[in-house]
Amino acid sequence: ANSSASSLPELLSREAGIVTRDSTGSPDVQIDLRGFGVSGDQNTLLLLNGQTVTPGAETALIADDEPHLAQYLKAQLAQVWPELQVVKVAAHGLEAAEAIAELEPDVAFLDIQMPGLTGFEVARQLVERDMAAPAVVFVTAFDRHAIEAFEVNAVDYLLKPVDPVRLAQAVQRSRKRLD
């Protein structure tokens, strides 16, 4: 590791050999790395979808075909896991599967009944991959799928509407899985 402190763009500029300067002469780097773009001299990554992520921070994807419920979950997560950065809110299973492959979030909060692919189909694809899959937490209105959820290595299974205490428990389990 380099002992001298460098901003992320300076480090990438040096390592990638790409250096541009803004009008003040400060490094201004724009590099596309596996779906991430890095811009400016902040220590953040700018995702191609416009979200920013702090390197090293845990990331999550939320997949739910009901936008108001996805936004409610995102707001609740901000309360119980403020460091977590939601990098994508997917509206259906196919979008979730593609975003997980591209963005590689640490945790995926999946609704079960969604158009395209169900949450279970997305989770099964993750299990079948040889790469490290995100921790999966199912968030659904149906309790009848709980046993099947754990067959695909789910960390937890939450019923809608999400109870804040249960969400905090799911967050704790997810964090343990990530350690």
Side-chain angles (χ1 to χ4, degrees), residues 18-31:
I18 301 171
V19 180
T20 60
R21 302 282 175 185
D22 66 13
S23 60
T24 66
S26 298
D28 184 23
V29 179
Q30 295 194 358
I31 302 170

Side-chain angles (χ1 to χ4, degrees), residues 138-160:
F138 286 105
V139 184
T140 184
F142 305 98
D143 63 359
R144 65 180 178 264
H145 300 292
I147 293 172
E148 188 178 358
F150 295 104
E151 290 173 356
V152 292
N153 300 325
V155 172
D156 212 332
Y157 188 95
L158 301 174
L159 292 175
K160 295 177 184 176

Side-chain angles (χ1 to χ4, degrees), residues 44-91:
T44 60
L45 297 177
L46 175 64
L47 302 182
L48 296 179
N49 66 6
Q51 300 274 346
T52 58
V53 178
T54 302
E58 284 119 348
T59 58
L61 170 133
I62 297 172
D64 197 319
D65 59 330
E66 299 181 65
H68 64 286
L69 293 177
Q71 291 305 316
Y72 174 78
L73 178 58
K74 185 176 178 181
Q76 290 298 312
L77 282 167
Q79 296 296 313
V80 297
W81 195 353
E83 311 82 30
L84 183 71
Q85 298 186 25
V86 176
V87 294
K88 178 74 174 176
V89 176

Side-chain angles (χ1 to χ4, degrees), residues 4 10 27 35 40 46 56 80 89 99 109 128 131-132 142 150 159 162 164 171:
S4 65
E10 291 169 331
L46 175 64
V80 297
V89 176
F109 293 87
E128 292 168 2
M131 299 171 20
F142 305 98
F150 295 104
L159 292 175
V162 175
V171 162

